[in-house]
Amino acid sequence: MAKVTVTDMQTNTSVQLAQQEADLVASEIAIVQPGPFARLLMRLFPGPNTHPKVAPDFEIVVEDGGRTTVFELSGETVLQRKSDKRGFNFFLGSKIVAWHAAQSGVPTP
């Protein structure tokens, strides 16, 4: 069972997602992250990071299975691990933004 905390970097408001939402986010993040073979290839043959270098809109902290990982969400579609700045295309970002707005009461621009 995952625990997911979403923080809006502009307003500095944090919300903890409901369990069903948190499990969905954790499973989606697990899908978009590359497996061990792909990580090895990326390490052996590094290429340019094609994601834009912009300030993150949201910080997502995922606690799952005793591990805590911090991600940054930019433009609702680019998810980056904060530790290594590796970017992934992430299509659940708009839902996370909507869930944050609904729970925090702070509308997103």
Side-chain angles (χ1 to χ4, degrees), residues 5 7 11 13 19 24 27 33 39 42 44 62-63 66 70 74 77-78 85 89 91 95 99 101 105-106:
T5 306
T7 304
T11 62
T13 54
Q19 191 60 56
L24 178 63
S27 66
Q33 292 189 90
R39 284 195 304 268
M42 286 188 291
L44 293 174
V62 179
E63 298 175 33
V70 180
S74 301
T77 59
V78 178
K85 298 295 185 185
N89 290 326
F91 300 106
K95 284 302 253 184
W99 291 334
V106 178

Side-chain angles (χ1 to χ4, degrees), residues 33-99:
Q33 292 189 90
F37 183 67
R39 284 195 304 268
L40 175 64
L41 286 176
M42 286 188 291
R43 188 165 297 198
L44 293 174
F45 305 103
N49 193 347
T50 59
H51 297 291
K53 304 288 188 206
V54 296
D57 300 317
F58 289 86
E59 181 179 80
I60 302 170
V61 179
V62 179
E63 298 175 33
D64 191 15
R67 290 184 5 198
T68 301
T69 310
V70 180
F71 296 93
E72 295 172 334
L73 181 66
S74 301
E76 296 183 7
T77 59
V78 178
L79 184 74
Q80 293 181 327
R81 273 194 307 259
K82 195 169 186 176
S83 61
D84 62 3
K85 298 295 185 185
R86 174 72 62 184
F88 311 101
N89 290 326
F90 189 66
F91 300 106
L92 195 62
S94 59
K95 284 302 253 184
I96 291 173
V97 171
W99 291 334

Side-chain angles (χ1 to χ4, degrees), residues 1-4 16-26 63-64 99 103:
M1 297 198 16
K3 177 181 170 188
V4 177
Q16 185 173 339
L17 297 182
Q19 191 60 56
Q20 184 178 5
E21 296 165 347
D23 289 338
L24 178 63
V25 170
E63 298 175 33
D64 191 15
W99 291 334
Q103 290 184 19

